[in-house]
């Protein structure tokens, strides 16, 4: 790859979206092809659409040429994340942490 081409390079893009542009999770699209994409939604608009997200995907970068990445909406993967019960029962509930929170989210201490 001495030509400067970079194949299969993981990329993370910090991207803001207009209200209503991405309802659930952004997905990267290269030359009309949807790429397997991981999104970390940081903020949402009042209507629930994505306002800001870190979008991670793998793409090959040609030498001395640019690529254009578009974004489209995608549903989060089935089973993404853990339910409340799954979190509380992780390792049989023996995970050595205790949280006490107030309704405003501030920690009350140990």
């Amino acid at each position: 790859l001495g030509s400067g081409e970079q194949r299969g390079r993981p990329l993370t893009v910090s991207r803001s979206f207009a209200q209503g542009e991405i309802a659930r999770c952004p997905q990267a699209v290269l030359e009309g092809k949807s790429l397997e994409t991981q999104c970390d939604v940081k903020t949402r608009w009042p209507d629930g659409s994505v306002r800001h997200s870190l979008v991670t995907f793998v793409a090959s970068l040609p030498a001395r040429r640019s690529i254009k990445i578009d974004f489209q909406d995608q549903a989060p993967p089935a089973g993404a994340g853990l339910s409340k019960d799954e979190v509380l029962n992780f390792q049989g509930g023996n995970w050595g942490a205790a949280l006490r929170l107030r309704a405003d989210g501030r920690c009350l201490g140990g």
Side-chain angles (χ1 to χ4, degrees), residues 1-107:
L1 297 177
S3 66
E5 177 183 9
Q6 297 178 35
R7 293 186 189 160
R9 176 156 185 204
L11 301 167
T12 299
V13 176
S14 175
R15 176 75 154 71
S16 296
F17 297 93
Q19 188 167 355
E21 183 179 0
I22 301 291
R24 300 164 295 182
C25 292
Q27 180 177 35
V29 178
L30 173 62
E31 297 176 355
K33 179 183 175 196
S34 300
L35 302 177
E36 187 172 335
T37 305
Q38 176 181 325
C39 68
D40 181 5
V41 175
K42 296 299 186 181
T43 57
R44 291 189 178 271
W45 290 99
D47 68 355
S49 63
V50 177
R51 182 174 187 168
H52 176 247
S53 181
L54 296 176
V55 186
T56 303
F57 53 93
V58 175
S60 292
L61 304 176
R64 295 177 294 283
R65 288 190 319 140
S66 61
I67 61 173
K68 180 181 176 196
I69 301 293
D70 292 309
F71 297 93
Q72 66 185 14
D73 190 35
Q74 72 170 339
L82 300 175
S83 70
K84 175 183 171 184
D85 288 336
E86 289 170 324
V87 170
L88 294 175
N89 291 313
F90 176 71
Q91 291 186 344
N94 186 20
W95 39 276
L99 301 174
R100 290 178 38 202
L101 299 174
R102 297 179 357 175
D104 62 9
R106 292 189 301 179
C107 185

